[in-house]
mmCIF file of all heavy atoms in Angstrom:
data_model
loop_
_atom_site.group_PDB
_atom_site.id
_atom_site.type_symbol
_atom_site.label_atom_id
_atom_site.label_comp_id
_atom_site.label_asym_id
_atom_site.label_seq_id
_atom_site.Cartn_x
_atom_site.Cartn_y
_atom_site.Cartn_z
ATOM 1 N N GLY A 1 0.799 -1.222 0.000
ATOM 2 C CA GLY A 1 0.000 0.000 0.000
ATOM 3 C C GLY A 1 0.828 1.267 0.000
ATOM 4 O O GLY A 1 0.336 2.331 -0.355
ATOM 5 N N ARG A 2 2.073 1.158 0.439
ATOM 6 C CA ARG A 2 3.011 2.271 0.402
ATOM 7 C C ARG A 2 4.393 1.731 0.720
ATOM 8 O O ARG A 2 4.532 0.625 1.240
ATOM 9 C CB ARG A 2 2.637 3.372 1.399
ATOM 10 C CG ARG A 2 2.664 2.943 2.849
ATOM 11 C CD ARG A 2 2.770 4.137 3.773
ATOM 12 N NE ARG A 2 4.009 4.830 3.545
ATOM 13 C CZ ARG A 2 4.241 6.062 3.932
ATOM 14 N NH1 ARG A 2 3.288 6.743 4.557
ATOM 15 N NH2 ARG A 2 5.391 6.629 3.713
ATOM 16 N N SER A 3 5.402 2.538 0.424
ATOM 17 C CA SER A 3 6.769 2.148 0.753
ATOM 18 C C SER A 3 7.143 2.677 2.134
ATOM 19 O O SER A 3 6.838 3.822 2.476
ATOM 20 C CB SER A 3 7.749 2.711 -0.281
ATOM 21 O OG SER A 3 9.074 2.501 0.133
ATOM 22 N N PHE A 4 7.820 1.827 2.901
ATOM 23 C CA PHE A 4 8.323 2.234 4.213
ATOM 24 C C PHE A 4 9.845 2.308 4.215
ATOM 25 O O PHE A 4 10.478 2.250 5.264
ATOM 26 C CB PHE A 4 7.849 1.249 5.290
ATOM 27 C CG PHE A 4 6.393 1.365 5.598
ATOM 28 C CD1 PHE A 4 5.476 0.492 5.032
ATOM 29 C CD2 PHE A 4 5.916 2.355 6.433
ATOM 30 C CE1 PHE A 4 4.119 0.593 5.310
ATOM 31 C CE2 PHE A 4 4.572 2.469 6.715
ATOM 32 C CZ PHE A 4 3.675 1.590 6.157
ATOM 33 N N SER A 5 10.415 2.454 3.031
ATOM 34 C CA SER A 5 11.867 2.417 2.920
ATOM 35 C C SER A 5 12.548 3.560 3.659
ATOM 36 O O SER A 5 13.737 3.470 3.962
ATOM 37 C CB SER A 5 12.277 2.415 1.446
ATOM 38 O OG SER A 5 11.815 3.589 0.805
ATOM 39 N N SER A 6 11.831 4.642 3.974
ATOM 40 C CA SER A 6 12.428 5.765 4.702
ATOM 41 C C SER A 6 11.979 5.812 6.157
ATOM 42 O O SER A 6 12.267 6.778 6.871
ATOM 43 C CB SER A 6 12.076 7.084 4.013
ATOM 44 O OG SER A 6 10.673 7.281 3.994
ATOM 45 N N TYR A 7 11.288 4.757 6.614
ATOM 46 C CA TYR A 7 10.745 4.721 7.956
ATOM 47 C C TYR A 7 11.459 3.699 8.823
ATOM 48 O O TYR A 7 11.825 2.618 8.346
ATOM 49 C CB TYR A 7 9.262 4.340 7.913
ATOM 50 C CG TYR A 7 8.332 5.449 7.497
ATOM 51 C CD1 TYR A 7 8.454 6.052 6.255
ATOM 52 C CD2 TYR A 7 7.310 5.874 8.336
ATOM 53 C CE1 TYR A 7 7.593 7.061 5.869
ATOM 54 C CE2 TYR A 7 6.444 6.877 7.960
ATOM 55 C CZ TYR A 7 6.587 7.471 6.728
ATOM 56 O OH TYR A 7 5.730 8.461 6.353
ATOM 57 N N ALA A 8 11.588 4.006 10.102
ATOM 58 C CA ALA A 8 11.995 2.985 11.051
ATOM 59 C C ALA A 8 10.865 1.964 11.164
ATOM 60 O O ALA A 8 9.680 2.309 11.065
ATOM 61 C CB ALA A 8 12.272 3.592 12.416
ATOM 62 N N MET A 9 11.252 0.715 11.339
ATOM 63 C CA MET A 9 10.258 -0.352 11.517
ATOM 64 C C MET A 9 10.695 -1.247 12.659
ATOM 65 O O MET A 9 11.877 -1.254 13.039
ATOM 66 C CB MET A 9 10.076 -1.149 10.223
ATOM 67 C CG MET A 9 9.501 -0.303 9.094
ATOM 68 S SD MET A 9 8.958 -1.254 7.683
ATOM 69 C CE MET A 9 7.490 -2.051 8.347
ATOM 70 N N GLY A 10 9.752 -2.002 13.188
ATOM 71 C CA GLY A 10 10.115 -2.822 14.331
ATOM 72 C C GLY A 10 9.115 -3.895 14.653
ATOM 73 O O GLY A 10 8.156 -4.125 13.901
ATOM 74 N N TRP A 11 9.365 -4.537 15.789
ATOM 75 C CA TRP A 11 8.523 -5.612 16.288
ATOM 76 C C TRP A 11 8.180 -5.373 17.754
ATOM 77 O O TRP A 11 9.044 -4.934 18.531
ATOM 78 C CB TRP A 11 9.241 -6.962 16.150
ATOM 79 C CG TRP A 11 9.458 -7.389 14.738
ATOM 80 C CD1 TRP A 11 10.532 -7.096 13.946
ATOM 81 C CD2 TRP A 11 8.587 -8.199 13.950
ATOM 82 N NE1 TRP A 11 10.381 -7.673 12.709
ATOM 83 C CE2 TRP A 11 9.188 -8.355 12.681
ATOM 84 C CE3 TRP A 11 7.352 -8.816 14.175
ATOM 85 C CZ2 TRP A 11 8.612 -9.103 11.656
ATOM 86 C CZ3 TRP A 11 6.779 -9.556 13.158
ATOM 87 C CH2 TRP A 11 7.400 -9.692 11.922
ATOM 88 N N PHE A 12 6.948 -5.663 18.089
ATOM 89 C CA PHE A 12 6.468 -5.658 19.458
ATOM 90 C C PHE A 12 5.851 -7.021 19.733
ATOM 91 O O PHE A 12 5.614 -7.797 18.802
ATOM 92 C CB PHE A 12 5.402 -4.561 19.653
ATOM 93 C CG PHE A 12 5.945 -3.150 19.593
ATOM 94 C CD1 PHE A 12 6.361 -2.600 18.386
ATOM 95 C CD2 PHE A 12 6.017 -2.376 20.735
ATOM 96 C CE1 PHE A 12 6.852 -1.307 18.329
ATOM 97 C CE2 PHE A 12 6.509 -1.069 20.685
ATOM 98 C CZ PHE A 12 6.917 -0.541 19.479
ATOM 99 N N ARG A 13 5.572 -7.322 20.991
ATOM 100 C CA ARG A 13 4.901 -8.572 21.326
ATOM 101 C C ARG A 13 3.992 -8.377 22.525
ATOM 102 O O ARG A 13 4.189 -7.474 23.329
ATOM 103 C CB ARG A 13 5.929 -9.678 21.609
ATOM 104 C CG ARG A 13 6.753 -9.476 22.878
ATOM 105 C CD ARG A 13 7.828 -10.556 22.966
ATOM 106 N NE ARG A 13 8.624 -10.418 24.182
ATOM 107 C CZ ARG A 13 9.696 -11.162 24.457
ATOM 108 N NH1 ARG A 13 10.111 -12.084 23.591
ATOM 109 N NH2 ARG A 13 10.356 -10.972 25.591
ATOM 110 N N GLN A 14 2.998 -9.256 22.599
ATOM 111 C CA GLN A 14 2.060 -9.213 23.708
ATOM 112 C C GLN A 14 1.779 -10.630 24.175
ATOM 113 O O GLN A 14 1.233 -11.443 23.410
ATOM 114 C CB GLN A 14 0.762 -8.511 23.320
ATOM 115 C CG GLN A 14 -0.178 -8.290 24.496
ATOM 116 C CD GLN A 14 -1.318 -7.350 24.159
ATOM 117 O OE1 GLN A 14 -1.644 -7.115 22.999
ATOM 118 N NE2 GLN A 14 -1.936 -6.790 25.182
ATOM 119 N N ALA A 15 2.160 -10.902 25.399
ATOM 120 C CA ALA A 15 1.894 -12.199 26.013
ATOM 121 C C ALA A 15 0.528 -12.167 26.698
ATOM 122 O O ALA A 15 0.029 -11.084 27.045
ATOM 123 C CB ALA A 15 2.987 -12.526 27.017
ATOM 124 N N PRO A 16 -0.085 -13.328 26.905
ATOM 125 C CA PRO A 16 -1.397 -13.364 27.553
ATOM 126 C C PRO A 16 -1.378 -12.667 28.908
ATOM 127 O O PRO A 16 -0.503 -12.923 29.733
ATOM 128 C CB PRO A 16 -1.664 -14.859 27.709
ATOM 129 C CG PRO A 16 -0.864 -15.494 26.634
ATOM 130 C CD PRO A 16 0.364 -14.669 26.497
ATOM 131 N N GLY A 17 -2.322 -11.761 29.116
ATOM 132 C CA GLY A 17 -2.435 -11.081 30.390
ATOM 133 C C GLY A 17 -1.436 -9.966 30.614
ATOM 134 O O GLY A 17 -1.387 -9.384 31.702
ATOM 135 N N LYS A 18 -0.639 -9.683 29.595
ATOM 136 C CA LYS A 18 0.376 -8.637 29.732
ATOM 137 C C LYS A 18 0.175 -7.547 28.690
ATOM 138 O O LYS A 18 -0.515 -7.741 27.691
ATOM 139 C CB LYS A 18 1.775 -9.232 29.602
ATOM 140 C CG LYS A 18 2.144 -10.197 30.703
ATOM 141 C CD LYS A 18 3.600 -10.607 30.602
ATOM 142 C CE LYS A 18 3.991 -11.505 31.754
ATOM 143 N NZ LYS A 18 5.425 -11.907 31.684
ATOM 144 N N GLU A 19 0.806 -6.406 28.930
ATOM 145 C CA GLU A 19 0.743 -5.310 27.976
ATOM 146 C C GLU A 19 1.689 -5.576 26.810
ATOM 147 O O GLU A 19 2.665 -6.324 26.927
ATOM 148 C CB GLU A 19 1.119 -3.994 28.656
ATOM 149 C CG GLU A 19 0.116 -3.524 29.689
ATOM 150 C CD GLU A 19 0.423 -2.131 30.213
ATOM 151 O OE1 GLU A 19 1.483 -1.588 29.860
ATOM 152 O OE2 GLU A 19 -0.400 -1.597 30.963
ATOM 153 N N ARG A 20 1.385 -4.937 25.685
ATOM 154 C CA ARG A 20 2.269 -5.044 24.537
ATOM 155 C C ARG A 20 3.612 -4.407 24.876
ATOM 156 O O ARG A 20 3.665 -3.334 25.488
ATOM 157 C CB ARG A 20 1.642 -4.343 23.331
ATOM 158 C CG ARG A 20 2.355 -4.591 22.024
ATOM 159 C CD ARG A 20 1.615 -3.966 20.845
ATOM 160 N NE ARG A 20 0.271 -4.502 20.692
ATOM 161 C CZ ARG A 20 -0.508 -4.249 19.642
ATOM 162 N NH1 ARG A 20 -0.073 -3.457 18.672
ATOM 163 N NH2 ARG A 20 -1.698 -4.767 19.573
ATOM 164 N N GLU A 21 4.700 -5.057 24.462
ATOM 165 C CA GLU A 21 6.028 -4.539 24.773
ATOM 166 C C GLU A 21 6.908 -4.497 23.535
ATOM 167 O O GLU A 21 6.733 -5.295 22.607
ATOM 168 C CB GLU A 21 6.710 -5.407 25.846
ATOM 169 C CG GLU A 21 7.005 -6.823 25.427
ATOM 170 C CD GLU A 21 7.785 -7.599 26.484
ATOM 171 O OE1 GLU A 21 8.066 -7.064 27.565
ATOM 172 O OE2 GLU A 21 8.136 -8.766 26.201
ATOM 173 N N PHE A 22 7.841 -3.590 23.560
ATOM 174 C CA PHE A 22 8.782 -3.428 22.468
ATOM 175 C C PHE A 22 9.752 -4.603 22.435
ATOM 176 O O PHE A 22 10.191 -5.098 23.471
ATOM 177 C CB PHE A 22 9.549 -2.121 22.665
ATOM 178 C CG PHE A 22 10.729 -1.959 21.749
ATOM 179 C CD1 PHE A 22 10.544 -1.627 20.419
ATOM 180 C CD2 PHE A 22 12.011 -2.167 22.214
ATOM 181 C CE1 PHE A 22 11.621 -1.484 19.571
ATOM 182 C CE2 PHE A 22 13.105 -2.017 21.382
ATOM 183 C CZ PHE A 22 12.914 -1.674 20.059
ATOM 184 N N VAL A 23 10.118 -5.032 21.209
ATOM 185 C CA VAL A 23 11.082 -6.117 21.034
ATOM 186 C C VAL A 23 12.339 -5.607 20.321
ATOM 187 O O VAL A 23 13.439 -5.749 20.822
ATOM 188 C CB VAL A 23 10.464 -7.280 20.239
ATOM 189 C CG1 VAL A 23 11.520 -8.350 19.946
ATOM 190 C CG2 VAL A 23 9.284 -7.883 20.978
ATOM 191 N N ALA A 24 12.161 -5.044 19.122
ATOM 192 C CA ALA A 24 13.315 -4.608 18.326
ATOM 193 C C ALA A 24 12.867 -3.609 17.275
ATOM 194 O O ALA A 24 11.712 -3.625 16.849
ATOM 195 C CB ALA A 24 13.978 -5.809 17.652
ATOM 196 N N ALA A 25 13.808 -2.759 16.850
ATOM 197 C CA ALA A 25 13.528 -1.804 15.779
ATOM 198 C C ALA A 25 14.804 -1.509 15.017
ATOM 199 O O ALA A 25 15.913 -1.700 15.536
ATOM 200 C CB ALA A 25 12.942 -0.506 16.333
ATOM 201 N N LEU A 26 14.628 -1.063 13.767
ATOM 202 C CA LEU A 26 15.784 -0.641 12.986
ATOM 203 C C LEU A 26 15.412 0.564 12.136
ATOM 204 O O LEU A 26 14.234 0.763 11.823
ATOM 205 C CB LEU A 26 16.343 -1.780 12.131
ATOM 206 C CG LEU A 26 15.685 -2.169 10.834
ATOM 207 C CD1 LEU A 26 16.538 -3.229 10.134
ATOM 208 C CD2 LEU A 26 14.281 -2.600 10.949
ATOM 209 N N ASN A 27 16.411 1.357 11.774
ATOM 210 C CA ASN A 27 16.123 2.566 11.003
ATOM 211 C C ASN A 27 15.961 2.225 9.526
ATOM 212 O O ASN A 27 16.012 1.059 9.124
ATOM 213 C CB ASN A 27 17.216 3.613 11.231
ATOM 214 C CG ASN A 27 18.527 3.250 10.548
ATOM 215 O OD1 ASN A 27 18.781 2.076 10.264
ATOM 216 N ND2 ASN A 27 19.345 4.245 10.270
ATOM 217 N N TRP A 28 15.792 3.244 8.710
ATOM 218 C CA TRP A 28 15.434 3.025 7.316
ATOM 219 C C TRP A 28 16.498 2.231 6.553
ATOM 220 O O TRP A 28 16.175 1.433 5.681
ATOM 221 C CB TRP A 28 15.201 4.369 6.615
ATOM 222 C CG TRP A 28 16.458 5.173 6.474
ATOM 223 C CD1 TRP A 28 17.012 6.032 7.366
ATOM 224 C CD2 TRP A 28 17.348 5.154 5.344
ATOM 225 N NE1 TRP A 28 18.175 6.545 6.885
ATOM 226 C CE2 TRP A 28 18.406 6.042 5.645
ATOM 227 C CE3 TRP A 28 17.348 4.492 4.127
ATOM 228 C CZ2 TRP A 28 19.452 6.265 4.755
ATOM 229 C CZ3 TRP A 28 18.383 4.715 3.238
ATOM 230 C CH2 TRP A 28 19.424 5.593 3.561
ATOM 231 N N SER A 29 17.755 2.403 6.913
ATOM 232 C CA SER A 29 18.826 1.719 6.186
ATOM 233 C C SER A 29 19.205 0.390 6.816
ATOM 234 O O SER A 29 19.920 -0.406 6.203
ATOM 235 C CB SER A 29 20.062 2.610 6.134
ATOM 236 O OG SER A 29 20.635 2.736 7.426
ATOM 237 N N GLY A 30 18.748 0.161 8.046
ATOM 238 C CA GLY A 30 19.169 -1.030 8.776
ATOM 239 C C GLY A 30 20.484 -0.833 9.500
ATOM 240 O O GLY A 30 20.954 -1.740 10.172
ATOM 241 N N GLY A 31 21.043 0.364 9.401
ATOM 242 C CA GLY A 31 22.326 0.617 10.024
ATOM 243 C C GLY A 31 22.254 0.897 11.509
ATOM 244 O O GLY A 31 23.280 0.857 12.204
ATOM 245 N N SER A 32 21.082 1.187 11.995
ATOM 246 C CA SER A 32 20.885 1.454 13.423
ATOM 247 C C SER A 32 19.792 0.528 13.932
ATOM 248 O O SER A 32 18.686 0.502 13.389
ATOM 249 C CB SER A 32 20.479 2.907 13.642
ATOM 250 O OG SER A 32 20.207 3.150 15.007
ATOM 251 N N THR A 33 20.123 -0.236 14.961
ATOM 252 C CA THR A 33 19.156 -1.167 15.538
ATOM 253 C C THR A 33 19.050 -0.928 17.039
ATOM 254 O O THR A 33 19.950 -0.358 17.662
ATOM 255 C CB THR A 33 19.553 -2.629 15.292
ATOM 256 O OG1 THR A 33 20.863 -2.849 15.838
ATOM 257 C CG2 THR A 33 19.568 -2.958 13.815
ATOM 258 N N TYR A 34 17.942 -1.382 17.593
ATOM 259 C CA TYR A 34 17.710 -1.220 19.038
ATOM 260 C C TYR A 34 16.900 -2.409 19.497
ATOM 261 O O TYR A 34 15.921 -2.788 18.846
ATOM 262 C CB TYR A 34 16.964 0.090 19.297
ATOM 263 C CG TYR A 34 16.755 0.432 20.745
ATOM 264 C CD1 TYR A 34 17.825 0.486 21.638
ATOM 265 C CD2 TYR A 34 15.488 0.721 21.235
ATOM 266 C CE1 TYR A 34 17.633 0.806 22.962
ATOM 267 C CE2 TYR A 34 15.285 1.050 22.563
ATOM 268 C CZ TYR A 34 16.360 1.097 23.423
ATOM 269 O OH TYR A 34 16.176 1.415 24.742
ATOM 270 N N TYR A 35 17.303 -3.017 20.615
ATOM 271 C CA TYR A 35 16.652 -4.222 21.117
ATOM 272 C C TYR A 35 16.257 -4.068 22.580
ATOM 273 O O TYR A 35 16.935 -3.397 23.361
ATOM 274 C CB TYR A 35 17.609 -5.412 21.002
ATOM 275 C CG TYR A 35 17.976 -5.795 19.586
ATOM 276 C CD1 TYR A 35 19.103 -5.276 18.966
ATOM 277 C CD2 TYR A 35 17.189 -6.706 18.873
ATOM 278 C CE1 TYR A 35 19.447 -5.624 17.673
ATOM 279 C CE2 TYR A 35 17.532 -7.064 17.574
ATOM 280 C CZ TYR A 35 18.657 -6.516 16.988
ATOM 281 O OH TYR A 35 18.981 -6.880 15.698
ATOM 282 N N ALA A 36 15.192 -4.747 22.938
ATOM 283 C CA ALA A 36 14.860 -4.883 24.348
ATOM 284 C C ALA A 36 15.931 -5.749 25.006
ATOM 285 O O ALA A 36 16.474 -6.669 24.382
ATOM 286 C CB ALA A 36 13.481 -5.534 24.506
ATOM 287 N N ASP A 37 16.221 -5.467 26.261
ATOM 288 C CA ASP A 37 17.258 -6.231 26.962
ATOM 289 C C ASP A 37 16.931 -7.727 26.987
ATOM 290 O O ASP A 37 17.844 -8.561 26.947
ATOM 291 C CB ASP A 37 17.400 -5.718 28.397
ATOM 292 C CG ASP A 37 18.080 -4.358 28.468
ATOM 293 O OD1 ASP A 37 18.722 -3.961 27.466
ATOM 294 O OD2 ASP A 37 17.962 -3.697 29.510
ATOM 295 N N SER A 38 15.656 -8.056 27.029
ATOM 296 C CA SER A 38 15.247 -9.454 27.158
ATOM 297 C C SER A 38 15.564 -10.297 25.918
ATOM 298 O O SER A 38 15.599 -11.523 26.000
ATOM 299 C CB SER A 38 13.755 -9.539 27.456
ATOM 300 O OG SER A 38 13.016 -8.902 26.428
ATOM 301 N N VAL A 39 15.798 -9.647 24.772
ATOM 302 C CA VAL A 39 16.053 -10.397 23.541
ATOM 303 C C VAL A 39 17.434 -10.118 22.959
ATOM 304 O O VAL A 39 17.830 -10.769 21.983
ATOM 305 C CB VAL A 39 14.985 -10.103 22.469
ATOM 306 C CG1 VAL A 39 13.591 -10.339 23.022
ATOM 307 C CG2 VAL A 39 15.124 -8.694 21.924
ATOM 308 N N LYS A 40 18.151 -9.190 23.543
ATOM 309 C CA LYS A 40 19.462 -8.800 23.024
ATOM 310 C C LYS A 40 20.393 -10.012 22.986
ATOM 311 O O LYS A 40 20.481 -10.775 23.948
ATOM 312 C CB LYS A 40 20.052 -7.701 23.897
ATOM 313 C CG LYS A 40 21.072 -6.825 23.230
ATOM 314 C CD LYS A 40 21.453 -5.659 24.125
ATOM 315 C CE LYS A 40 20.303 -4.719 24.347
ATOM 316 N NZ LYS A 40 20.683 -3.546 25.170
ATOM 317 N N GLY A 41 21.056 -10.191 21.847
ATOM 318 C CA GLY A 41 21.964 -11.319 21.692
ATOM 319 C C GLY A 41 21.295 -12.575 21.184
ATOM 320 O O GLY A 41 21.976 -13.529 20.782
ATOM 321 N N ARG A 42 19.964 -12.619 21.188
ATOM 322 C CA ARG A 42 19.233 -13.797 20.700
ATOM 323 C C ARG A 42 18.430 -13.487 19.440
ATOM 324 O O ARG A 42 18.260 -14.354 18.585
ATOM 325 C CB ARG A 42 18.287 -14.316 21.785
ATOM 326 C CG ARG A 42 18.971 -14.731 23.060
ATOM 327 C CD ARG A 42 17.992 -15.416 24.024
ATOM 328 N NE ARG A 42 16.928 -14.525 24.453
ATOM 329 C CZ ARG A 42 15.617 -14.774 24.249
ATOM 330 N NH1 ARG A 42 15.241 -15.881 23.645
ATOM 331 N NH2 ARG A 42 14.703 -13.918 24.691
ATOM 332 N N PHE A 43 17.902 -12.273 19.349
ATOM 333 C CA PHE A 43 17.070 -11.872 18.205
ATOM 334 C C PHE A 43 17.854 -10.902 17.322
ATOM 335 O O PHE A 43 18.656 -10.103 17.811
ATOM 336 C CB PHE A 43 15.803 -11.159 18.677
ATOM 337 C CG PHE A 43 14.805 -12.043 19.386
ATOM 338 C CD1 PHE A 43 15.101 -13.332 19.779
ATOM 339 C CD2 PHE A 43 13.521 -11.562 19.646
ATOM 340 C CE1 PHE A 43 14.187 -14.135 20.429
ATOM 341 C CE2 PHE A 43 12.570 -12.335 20.285
ATOM 342 C CZ PHE A 43 12.912 -13.628 20.691
ATOM 343 N N THR A 44 17.579 -10.967 16.016
ATOM 344 C CA THR A 44 18.191 -10.053 15.063
ATOM 345 C C THR A 44 17.126 -9.517 14.116
ATOM 346 O O THR A 44 16.411 -10.298 13.483
ATOM 347 C CB THR A 44 19.288 -10.752 14.245
ATOM 348 O OG1 THR A 44 20.279 -11.288 15.120
ATOM 349 C CG2 THR A 44 19.946 -9.757 13.290
ATOM 350 N N ILE A 45 17.040 -8.192 14.033
ATOM 351 C CA ILE A 45 16.090 -7.560 13.123
ATOM 352 C C ILE A 45 16.832 -7.119 11.863
ATOM 353 O O ILE A 45 17.992 -6.688 11.932
ATOM 354 C CB ILE A 45 15.370 -6.377 13.802
ATOM 355 C CG1 ILE A 45 14.250 -5.848 12.917
ATOM 356 C CG2 ILE A 45 16.363 -5.275 14.190
ATOM 357 C CD1 ILE A 45 13.357 -4.823 13.618
ATOM 358 N N SER A 46 16.164 -7.252 10.728
ATOM 359 C CA SER A 46 16.769 -6.839 9.459
ATOM 360 C C SER A 46 15.653 -6.419 8.508
ATOM 361 O O SER A 46 14.473 -6.627 8.796
ATOM 362 C CB SER A 46 17.608 -7.967 8.849
ATOM 363 O OG SER A 46 16.799 -9.099 8.581
ATOM 364 N N ARG A 47 16.039 -5.854 7.376
ATOM 365 C CA ARG A 47 15.031 -5.421 6.416
ATOM 366 C C ARG A 47 15.583 -5.508 5.004
ATOM 367 O O ARG A 47 16.797 -5.442 4.793
ATOM 368 C CB ARG A 47 14.566 -3.994 6.716
ATOM 369 C CG ARG A 47 15.606 -2.919 6.502
ATOM 370 C CD ARG A 47 15.135 -1.568 7.065
ATOM 371 N NE ARG A 47 13.933 -1.079 6.399
ATOM 372 C CZ ARG A 47 13.148 -0.107 6.892
ATOM 373 N NH1 ARG A 47 13.456 0.465 8.050
ATOM 374 N NH2 ARG A 47 12.095 0.297 6.242
#
């Protein structure tokens, strides 16, 4: 429906009975990433 090539994108998650929480994000080029401490070193975001 549109290009997100200039937008940061990411992932969130929601476990049963809990609020939605941030997991990972990366900037438009993929050169800058940010992870929740709970997944750092185990999850990798890319685009």
Side-chain angles (χ1 to χ4, degrees):
R2 63 160 297 162
S3 172
F4 288 99
S5 61
S6 61
Y7 283 60
M9 296 192 71
W11 293 89
F12 290 72
R13 68 186 181 186
Q14 187 168 19
K18 295 187 177 181
E19 292 188 354
R20 190 175 300 189
E21 65 175 2
F22 169 76
V23 175
L26 79 174
N27 72 337
W28 68 274
S29 69
S32 176
T33 57
Y34 185 54
Y35 295 92
D37 287 343
S38 58
V39 306
K40 204 172 294 183
R42 300 188 297 121
F43 291 10
T44 302
I45 188 171
S46 61
R47 67 190 298 164

